[in-house]
Amino acid sequence: MCGRYVSTRSPDELARHFGAAEWHASDAPTPSWNVAPTDEVWAVLERAPREGEEPGAVRRELRSLRWGLVPSWAKDVKIGSRLINARVETVHEKPAFRRAFARHRCLLPADGFYEWQRVKAEGAGRARKQPYFVHPEDGGIMALAGLYEYWRDPAVARDDDPAAWLTTCTVITTDATDAAGRVHPRMPLALTPDHYAGWLDPRRQDPGELRRLLSPPADGRLTVRPVSTAVNDVHNNGPELLEEPAP
């Protein structure tokens, strides 16, 4: 699974990298070295003109979404805390994800992600969880494959009230490869730049065609290293979380 990741790039840098035409400073999440479920995160998505809007080309946007997908049919937003990940093997058929898989796909920019490994203590001590930071060897931006969904709050009367709508997302995961596989059996699925356009295009809705875009990159692109156990607490944040622990 993917339960924490790092996202510290500026919106200007992300917009340039992904070719996003617009973003709103008022919605900008702050840089985070400990992104956790229910946090606001950056997402790249493409949106076709809605009914009543002027016709035009699909627009690529950089948007702030809440991590933890709330399906449109959900009765309670709390379900989002259980839907932070979607397995690539079943994402196209699970009721919580299949509509978003067909219509609402996104990329979630990350510097890297965390995974944990249980370490046995010496003697009779209790085992501990050692966090590891998994990231591209070249320090580049990871584009995690994701889905997003709109949820209408029935407690808000008017559709045009911004408070009426909640937009949330989930990270698609796959079997771990590369260095990540030495730490945990699952990992977020990152797309290569040649697949960005195909994945984001809302006009593409064939499940088989979309699934073919979700093949994990070849081995040799990720590296992993142990980091401070301070990351275990979601309240801790800052670049010091990426420091290697003392021997």
Side-chain angles (χ1 to χ4, degrees):
M1 65 173 292
C2 173
R4 306 276 184 82
Y5 66 95
V6 177
S7 181
T8 64
R9 312 293 178 124
S10 72
D12 284 328
E13 182 179 1
L14 294 176
R16 287 194 303 271
H17 179 81
F18 290 101
E22 62 179 90
W23 59 275
H24 302 288
S26 59
D27 298 333
T30 57
S32 178
W33 287 262
N34 202 359
V35 178
T38 73
D39 283 353
E40 292 293 315
V41 300
W42 279 124
V44 181
L45 56 90
E46 289 187 351
R47 190 172 70 83
R50 296 177 181 174
E51 185 177 350
E53 294 182 340
E54 294 185 10
V58 169
R59 294 177 297 183
R60 186 171 294 186
E61 303 175 359
L62 188 60
R63 294 275 303 274
S64 174
L65 310 181
R66 194 174 85 165
W67 185 17
L69 190 135
V70 179
S72 59
W73 44 259
K75 302 297 184 183
D76 193 324
V77 297
K78 292 179 181 178
I79 192 176
S81 63
R82 304 197 304 272
L83 298 177
I84 63 170
N85 292 161
R87 295 176 65 93
V88 69
E89 297 87 351
T90 56
V91 64
H92 62 295
E93 59 189 12
K94 290 290 186 180
F97 304 123
R98 62 190 178 198
R99 179 178 181 273
F101 183 75
R103 300 183 181 184
H104 297 147
R105 298 175 301 278
C106 64
L107 297 171
L108 302 170
D111 302 351
F113 60 94
Y114 297 109
E115 291 295 358
W116 281 260
Q117 191 173 64
R118 188 172 293 278
V119 178
K120 293 183 179 180
E122 296 182 4
R126 298 178 63 181
R128 62 182 176 86
K129 285 188 174 182
Q130 172 60 53
Y132 290 82
F133 182 51
V134 187
H135 61 96
E137 288 183 333
D138 62 2
I141 299 173
M142 298 186 75
L144 310 184
L147 309 175
Y148 70 98
E149 192 58 279
Y150 299 104
W151 182 78
R152 175 68 167 84
D153 186 348
V156 181
R158 296 177 48 142
D159 282 348
D160 59 357
D161 186 338
W165 298 95
L166 177 67
T167 312
T168 59
C169 61
T170 190
V171 175
I172 295 178
T173 66
T174 187
D175 287 333
T177 60
D178 207 278
R182 300 197 298 268
V183 179
H184 195 274
R186 301 290 293 183
M187 64 181 282
L189 197 159
L191 294 185
T192 52
D194 57 316
H195 285 171
Y196 290 177
W199 177 248
L200 293 176
D201 190 346
R203 296 165 296 194
R204 302 179 72 166
Q205 299 186 7
D206 178 75
E209 181 183 357
L210 293 168
R211 281 173 56 77
R212 284 191 288 273
L213 298 174
L214 296 177
S215 57
D219 289 354
R221 298 183 180 180
L222 298 176
T223 187
V224 59
R225 58 184 174 84
V227 293
S228 169
T229 55
V231 74
N232 296 349
D233 186 339
V234 296
H235 298 98
N236 294 330
N237 210 320
E240 65 277 5
L241 297 184
L242 299 183
E243 295 178 0
E244 294 199 33

